[in-house]
Amino acid sequence: MLNYKHSVTLDVTRCKGCTNCIKRCPTEAIRVRNGHAVITEERCIDCGECIRLCPYQAKKARYDSFEAFSDYKYKIALPAPALYGQFADLDSVDSILDALLRCGFDAVYEVSKAAELVTEHTRRYIKRKGLPKPLISSACPAIVRLIALRFPSLVDNLLPLMPPIELAARNARAEAMERNPELSDDDICVLFISPCPAKISYIKNPVGVQKSAVNGGLAINDIYFKLRSEMKNLKDPKLISETGIIGLNWAGSGGEATSLLSDKYLAADGIENCIKVLDEVENGTMHELEFVELNACIGGCVGGTLNVENPFVAKARLRSLRKYLPVSQNTIPDSEALGEDVFYDVDIEENPAAALSSDRFEAITKMREIEEIYQGLPHLDCGSCGAPSCHALAEDIVRGEASIDNCIIRLRERAEK
Ligand code: SF4
Ligand code: SF4
């Protein structure tokens, strides 16, 4: 965790300490101390929820710039499917892909193409016997990190297959070297055009793989205007896209699950809804399901904070774009076995940041202390203490990070006495 490079950051100079963000952080990673927010890095999953909530734009996402990679000989763009929903009046996605080439990329590899391959791999994998049920999609990195932190008992339910972004990067590199034998792997730079900070963070701190094949992440809203001006001058775009309906559907919630040809699935979006579903899965009430798709952002990836367009408008545009497309343009023959290279190469581990102690007895003792302190607090969850709830303040006190005097109601009572 020490070398973890978060995408979501706080600009202390803008923060007014209003406490808006602390209550909705899904991992209780934010406190207000000394008049401004403080993010506990070990707990932050880069979901971007606090970026949406802050009325003073004090929370921001860090991302890369295209210019930072100018030294590479060969640059490949990996457009997220959500990018296709950002532009009005398109007949096909080819003009976006061609515009990316005109922005300075040497090649484009659609993440939606890799998504169709992941769909094929998942359909095969899900048929294996003895798998934990339900399997949970590992495509949204914020959800994977949420599970590792708050639902460690469900880590084994995560689908252990490479997410589309990683598969796309690996395939794009291999294709580039095949087409340009003079290139070495070090000459190639793969840049993901991201709809959200969670995926930018994934590139810097991959989960399930030792090292990501992606070099950097650009934000959709950063490249949008450049792309739009290139698209205006495009009369006859090159035919580049190799994606069908399934690949485009991955941009929205339910797109991954519905493509699996099974009716035993559930798809939820929005971090709070996802937490409710994970609670149910943890309680064992969803074992009849085969697959659960969860997206931290409302609407799925089209709802990410680095997009330009309203997620519902983006979804409507994607619907019209896919009208004349085949179901899928990337299939694998049934006879082909599932290769080891499509699986994660490292296990996803629990994140101990939320644990009270690695010692079971000590953890139980601390839980009791928290409950005792909590009983003595006013249960108003007002946030004035800088913690998201009275229970979180009790936990902070037991962890030695706050004192009972942080509660202004108790402090006033003591002063009056
Ligand atoms: S919402 Fe959070 S980051 Fe924004 S001003 Fe309020 S306390 Fe600061
Ligand atoms: S990005 Fe998400 S997890 Fe991190 S501090 Fe903001 S709301 Fe909390």
Side-chain angles (χ1 to χ4, degrees):
M1 266 293 167
L2 281 179
N3 297 321
Y4 198 102
K5 295 188 186 83
H6 284 281
S7 171
V8 175
T9 57
L10 169 77
D11 179 351
V12 178
T13 59
R14 281 178 171 255
C15 176
K16 306 274 187 260
C18 68
T19 73
N20 269 333
C21 58
I22 61 173
K23 292 191 183 172
R24 298 275 297 279
C25 170
T27 59
E28 298 191 335
I30 316 172
R31 300 289 183 272
V32 170
R33 301 267 186 257
N34 303 319
H36 62 78
V38 178
I39 302 176
T40 306
E41 296 211 358
E42 292 80 1
R43 280 180 171 240
C44 175
I45 57 170
D46 287 297
C47 66
E49 199 63 17
C50 54
I51 297 180
R52 281 190 196 95
L53 290 165
C54 177
Y56 303 100
Q57 286 81 49
K59 296 270 177 45
K60 291 191 172 77
R62 268 190 296 224
Y63 45 82
D64 296 308
S65 74
F66 182 75
E67 290 68 33
F69 299 89
S70 55
D71 287 347
Y72 283 89
K73 282 190 192 156
Y74 196 86
K75 297 176 212 54
I76 308 173
L78 292 192
L83 177 70
Y84 304 157
Q86 308 302 309
F87 302 91
D89 305 323
L90 288 186
D91 295 327
S92 84
V93 299
D94 287 317
S95 49
I96 304 172
L97 305 181
D98 202 350
L100 280 167
L101 295 176
R102 286 163 190 255
C103 286
F105 285 100
D106 300 288
V108 179
Y109 191 103
E110 295 169 273
V111 175
S112 48
K113 183 176 166 177
E116 293 190 343
L117 294 170
V118 173
T119 293
E120 293 274 309
H121 299 152
T122 311
R123 278 185 204 154
R124 279 169 181 65
Y125 180 72
I126 217 165
K127 286 186 191 143
R128 289 190 179 179
K129 294 210 163 53
L131 297 176
K133 290 281 163 74
L135 285 169
I136 302 172
S137 164
S138 49
C140 174
I143 294 295
V144 174
R145 293 196 196 285
L146 177 74
I147 290 174
L149 183 80
R150 279 191 56 177
F151 300 91
S153 65
L154 299 181
V155 162
D156 291 340
N157 292 58
L158 283 165
L159 186 70
L161 298 177
M162 295 271 173
I165 176 178
E166 200 56 47
L167 193 65
R170 290 175 187 214
N171 288 352
R173 280 178 181 277
E175 251 181 31
M177 285 197 279
E178 204 180 302
R179 285 185 189 158
N180 308 277
E182 74 285 2
L183 291 177
S184 75
D185 199 38
D186 291 341
D187 294 329
I188 301 170
C189 155
V190 179
L191 298 176
F192 178 62
I193 320 287
S194 182
C196 70
K199 290 207 169 96
I200 302 271
S201 172
Y202 164 86
I203 297 164
K204 316 282 176 201
N205 327 276
V207 274
V209 294
Q210 286 282 0
K211 188 175 182 299
S212 176
V214 188
N215 297 72
L218 313 184
I220 286 182
N221 59 16
D222 199 37
I223 199 169
Y224 173 80
F225 290 103
K226 203 169 170 202
L227 272 179
R228 214 174 65 167
S229 75
E230 290 293 345
M231 285 162 71
K232 268 189 197 149
N233 303 325
L234 260 175
K235 294 272 170 317
D236 206 3
K238 288 185 201 141
L239 300 178
I240 303 171
S241 179
E242 295 177 338
T243 305
I245 293 172
I246 286 181
L248 257 63
N249 280 355
W250 271 67
S253 171
E256 179 187 5
T258 49
S259 68
L260 295 178
L261 308 177
S262 161
D263 52 2
K264 294 180 183 162
Y265 77 87
L266 176 155
D269 55 322
I271 196 84
E272 284 169 15
N273 295 329
C274 292
I275 289 170
K276 284 182 195 148
V277 171
L278 289 169
D279 275 331
E280 296 282 339
V281 176
E282 197 170 52
N283 291 338
T285 54
M286 293 207 173
H287 48 80
E288 80 280 8
L289 294 176
E290 280 188 333
F291 192 79
V292 170
E293 178 196 324
L294 301 174
N295 287 282
C297 296
I298 299 265
C301 295
V302 285
T305 54
L306 298 179
N307 287 311
V308 175
E309 197 46 273
N310 170 306
F312 303 102
V313 174
K315 262 191 162 178
R317 287 181 182 161
L318 282 159
R319 249 196 321 274
S320 87
L321 272 174
R322 70 185 185 206
K323 217 164 31 191
Y324 302 113
L325 291 181
V327 174
S328 173
Q329 298 208 46
N330 300 279
T331 51
I332 307 171
D334 275 346
S335 52
E336 203 169 297
L338 208 53
E340 276 310 306
D341 54 340
V342 303
F343 284 88
Y344 277 158
D345 48 43
V346 287
D347 291 337
I348 295 173
E349 288 179 359
E350 297 173 13
N351 176 354
L356 291 167
S357 167
S358 53
D359 179 81
R360 205 175 144 79
F361 180 74
E362 195 178 312
I364 292 170
T365 311
K366 284 189 174 175
M367 265 161 69
R368 283 204 192 108
E369 284 174 42
I370 289 171
E371 289 312 315
E372 266 169 41
I373 295 171
Y374 175 62
Q375 291 313 319
L377 292 171
H379 296 195
L380 290 175
D381 296 339
C382 63
S384 310
C385 59
S389 63
C390 294
H391 201 274
L393 174 63
E395 189 178 322
D396 288 352
I397 295 169
V398 169
R399 286 180 189 271
E401 294 163 5
S403 105
I404 193 83
D405 289 344
N406 286 58
C407 173
I408 53 163
I409 292 170
R410 290 289 166 266
L411 183 66
R412 197 172 54 212
E413 282 169 6
R414 290 227 317 242
E416 278 167 8
K417 267 185 206 162

